Amino acid sequence: MTFTKTTEQASKYDHLDQMSLSNLLVNINREDKTVPLAVEKALPQIENLVTKIVEQLKQGGKLFYIGAGTSGRLGIVDASECPPTFGVPSDLVNGIIAGGDKAIRRAVENAEDNTTQAWIDLQDHNISTKDIVIGIAASGTTPYVIEGLKKCNENNIITGCITCNEGSPLALTAAYPIVVIVGPEFVTGSSRMKAGTAQKLVLNMVSTATMIQLGKVKGNKMVDMQLSNDKLVDRGVKMIMSEIPVDYDLALQLLKQNGSVRNTIENYNSENIH
């Protein structure tokens, strides 16, 4: 089977440097509109992977994202937002980037080409067969990610991936691949654009659906969120007021006493059952 990187094919647009600013923005937006439709086609694959993630996490496992460059940064963003949003431990969802934390801000030369470091990085996090590892790479050819998943496969650790090229080595390596075909980028080969957007949308789905399945959302509210700033405390107070008959000041007092929206509502209800 011949493998073609559609993310590297020539842009459908040319002479970008001669376009007006208005045309640049209109055309970028036109391309961006195609991304959710591409994600929609991958929904069955996303469901298969999320089903497996939930199963592993319910058994005490952890979720790992590994990637390089933009893909690695997107994984870190998603992982870092799970504790404040859903009140889960900081090591439940983990983002690992080729080149280490310094690569979050600046590219680390040749980090993505290292074929052994991903497994070392995973071992530093005490990876086990309870866990699940998702490799993120728009191209589907990043050695750091592919070899990391191969080592996981060899060690009976479940693997998934998010990529934007069909038939890529990464998609063929992962047990649960997600392939979102976004086609050529507006700027040829700039996979931080449509491919990056697709990866972000998929990651939103993966982590959010997983946390809902794990019971971290009640109704449509983040009842386990960390109350780490005034905005979130205010949001928590208003959540409480929508669930139980108390005014703002009492809701705030109860929230401070109970430490979370969930605890506040559950304790109030248990104390006021007749």
Side-chain angles (χ1 to χ4, degrees), residues 55-75:
E55 183 181 308
Q56 294 302 106
L57 268 54
K58 282 184 175 178
Q59 295 174 4
K62 295 175 290 186
L63 172 60
F64 290 88
Y65 300 130
I66 60 172
T70 296
S71 297
R73 294 181 189 104
L74 288 169

Side-chain angles (χ1 to χ4, degrees), residues 175-233:
Y176 294 88
I178 295 171
V179 184
V180 182
I181 309 300
V182 295
E185 296 286 3
F186 180 72
V187 176
T188 298
S190 182
S191 56
R192 71 184 185 87
M193 300 186 76
K194 289 191 300 180
T197 300
Q199 290 173 324
K200 173 62 174 163
L201 291 176
V202 172
L203 286 165
N204 285 349
M205 287 181 168
V206 167
S207 57
T208 303
T210 294
M211 293 301 159
I212 293 171
Q213 292 277 295
L214 292 176
K216 295 297 178 181
V217 171
K218 181 177 174 60
N220 58 13
K221 296 180 176 67
M222 300 179 289
V223 293
D224 291 321
M225 67 179 181
Q226 292 178 357
L227 306 170
S228 55
N229 59 47
D230 290 343
K231 178 191 76 173
L232 297 179
V233 171

Side-chain angles (χ1 to χ4, degrees), residues 234-253:
D234 179 67
R235 181 186 295 165
V237 168
K238 290 172 180 173
M239 285 184 196
I240 292 165
M241 292 171 64
S242 72
E243 295 290 327
I244 59 178
V246 293
D247 63 19
Y248 192 97
D249 290 340
L250 181 52
L252 178 59
Q253 180 184 332

Side-chain angles (χ1 to χ4, degrees), residues 4-257:
T4 303
K5 285 190 197 178
T6 55
T7 54
E8 294 289 334
Q9 289 181 337
S11 172
K12 292 182 281 186
Y13 305 82
D14 202 353
H15 309 298
L16 307 187
D17 50 340
Q18 297 172 30
M19 278 186 192
S20 68
L21 175 57
S22 176
N23 282 341
L24 284 171
L25 298 178
V26 165
N27 289 328
I28 291 171
N29 180 244
R30 181 178 291 128
E31 287 300 298
D32 286 346
K33 288 176 184 177
T34 68
V35 177
L37 297 176
V39 172
E40 183 180 12
K41 293 177 182 177
L43 286 176
Q45 294 179 324
I46 298 170
E47 183 174 352
N48 287 340
L49 180 55
V50 172
T51 298
K52 204 65 190 175
I53 294 169
V54 172
E55 183 181 308
Q56 294 302 106
L57 268 54
K58 282 184 175 178
Q59 295 174 4
K62 295 175 290 186
L63 172 60
F64 290 88
Y65 300 130
I66 60 172
T70 296
S71 297
R73 294 181 189 104
L74 288 169
I76 287 170
V77 167
D78 194 73
S80 67
E81 290 174 347
C82 287
T85 306
F86 301 108
V88 296
S90 59
D91 64 347
L92 183 68
V93 184
N94 305 272
I96 298 174
I97 186 169
D101 284 355
K102 62 183 176 181
I104 296 171
R105 291 183 178 276
R106 296 186 179 183
V108 175
E109 190 174 357
N110 298 326
E112 71 173 56
D113 299 323
N114 192 312
T115 58
T116 58
Q117 190 62 43
W119 182 242
I120 294 169
D121 292 342
L122 288 166
Q123 287 179 302
D124 286 344
H125 286 78
N126 299 313
I127 190 87
S128 79
T129 54
K130 290 182 181 180
D131 303 329
I132 184 163
V133 178
I134 299 176
I136 312 172
S139 67
T141 59
T142 306
Y144 175 90
V145 179
I146 294 167
E147 296 304 318
L149 291 200
K150 284 181 179 178
K151 289 295 289 185
C152 289
N153 290 338
E154 291 170 12
N155 287 274
N156 298 313
I157 296 165
I158 296 169
T159 56
C161 77
I162 304 170
T163 184
C164 296
N165 282 307
E166 193 168 12
S168 67
L170 180 60
L172 297 175
T173 299
Y176 294 88
I178 295 171
V179 184
V180 182
I181 309 300
V182 295
E185 296 286 3
F186 180 72
V187 176
T188 298
S190 182
S191 56
R192 71 184 185 87
M193 300 186 76
K194 289 191 300 180
T197 300
Q199 290 173 324
K200 173 62 174 163
L201 291 176
V202 172
L203 286 165
N204 285 349
M205 287 181 168
V206 167
S207 57
T208 303
T210 294
M211 293 301 159
I212 293 171
Q213 292 277 295
L214 292 176
K216 295 297 178 181
V217 171
K218 181 177 174 60
N220 58 13
K221 296 180 176 67
M222 300 179 289
V223 293
D224 291 321
M225 67 179 181
Q226 292 178 357
L227 306 170
S228 55
N229 59 47
D230 290 343
K231 178 191 76 173
L232 297 179
V233 171
D234 179 67
R235 181 186 295 165
V237 168
K238 290 172 180 173
M239 285 184 196
I240 292 165
M241 292 171 64
S242 72
E243 295 290 327
I244 59 178
V246 293
D247 63 19
Y248 192 97
D249 290 340
L250 181 52
L252 178 59
Q253 180 184 332
L254 292 172
L255 181 58
K256 289 179 177 178
Q257 288 173 1

